Amino acid sequence: MTARPGAGALVRASLEDKVLSHSDPATGLPVGPRPKAPDTAEGEHRSEEVLALVLKSVDDDKAEDIVEIDLRGRSDVADYMVICAGRSSRQVAAISEKLADRLKQEMRISVRMEGKETGDWVLIDAGDVIVHVFRPEVREFYQLEKMWLPAGTTRAAKA
C-alpha cells in the first residue's frame, strides 16, 4: 500500500494546528483550538469585566508600569494582555497571588499560574486576559511589549 504524496503533510499540518493551540487545564495536554468567544455583547462584556478587575487589582497592589494590550483580532490566545512589574520577587509573587484570589472570589475564575515560585516572571492565564507580572530587569530583558504592541506604539505607563 502506497501513500499519496503530500497526504502526510496534510495530516501533519492538521495535527500541528491542534497542538499549537492551548492545553487542557486538567491534564496539561494539548487540545483543539481555543473556542471562539460569543459574538454577542455579553461575551465581550465578560472579557472587559475581567480586564477591569485585573487592572484594578494590579494597581491596588502597587504594580508599576502597567500596560494593557488589546489582542482582539490579532491572537486567538486571549482578548487582552496586561504587563506590569513589581519591585521585588516578593512583590511580584504577592501581586500575582492577590490577583488570582480576587478573580476567584469576585468572578469565579480559577486561573492557571506559572512562575510564582521564583517571582521573576509570573504568567497568569485568566482565559480572555493574560497577565505577565515581572521584576523590572526581567521585563526589560524579554521586552514583550515590543512583540505585542502595534507598530509605532511606545510603551506608556498607566497611572
Side-chain angles (χ1 to χ4, degrees), residues 50 52-62 94-111:
V50 173
L53 179 61
V54 165
L55 293 172
K56 182 179 182 335
S57 179
V58 296
D59 186 55
D60 287 351
D61 292 330
K62 309 292 188 249
I95 290 168
S96 304
E97 190 62 40
K98 286 185 178 180
L99 174 59
D101 288 344
R102 287 176 179 134
L103 285 166
K104 188 172 188 171
Q105 294 296 321
E106 295 181 31
M107 303 201 82
R108 297 182 182 199
I109 297 173
S110 293
V111 301

Side-chain angles (χ1 to χ4, degrees), residues 12-126:
R12 192 170 34 256
S14 173
L15 289 174
E16 286 174 358
D17 286 346
K18 290 183 179 179
V19 170
L20 297 176
S21 56
H22 73 286
S23 59
D24 179 272
T27 64
L29 297 173
V31 295
R34 180 174 180 255
K36 285 265 188 209
D39 288 335
T40 64
E42 183 181 320
E44 190 171 314
H45 261 3
R46 176 74 175 164
S47 62
E48 295 285 337
E49 290 171 9
V50 173
L51 175 65
L53 179 61
V54 165
L55 293 172
K56 182 179 182 335
S57 179
V58 296
D59 186 55
D60 287 351
D61 292 330
K62 309 292 188 249
E64 299 176 344
D65 199 13
I66 302 166
V67 176
E68 168 193 340
I69 302 172
D70 189 343
L71 299 176
R72 293 174 297 179
R74 296 176 55 207
S75 173
D76 286 339
V77 173
D79 290 339
Y80 297 98
M81 180 184 299
V82 174
I83 302 172
C84 63
R87 291 182 297 280
S88 66
S89 295
R90 181 176 284 190
Q91 187 186 20
V92 167
I95 290 168
S96 304
E97 190 62 40
K98 286 185 178 180
L99 174 59
D101 288 344
R102 287 176 179 134
L103 285 166
K104 188 172 188 171
Q105 294 296 321
E106 295 181 31
M107 303 201 82
R108 297 182 182 199
I109 297 173
S110 293
V111 301
R112 291 177 294 271
M113 190 178 332
E114 293 200 23
K116 194 179 83 162
E117 301 77 30
T118 60
D120 289 332
W121 174 4
V122 180
L123 170 66
I124 303 158
D125 180 354

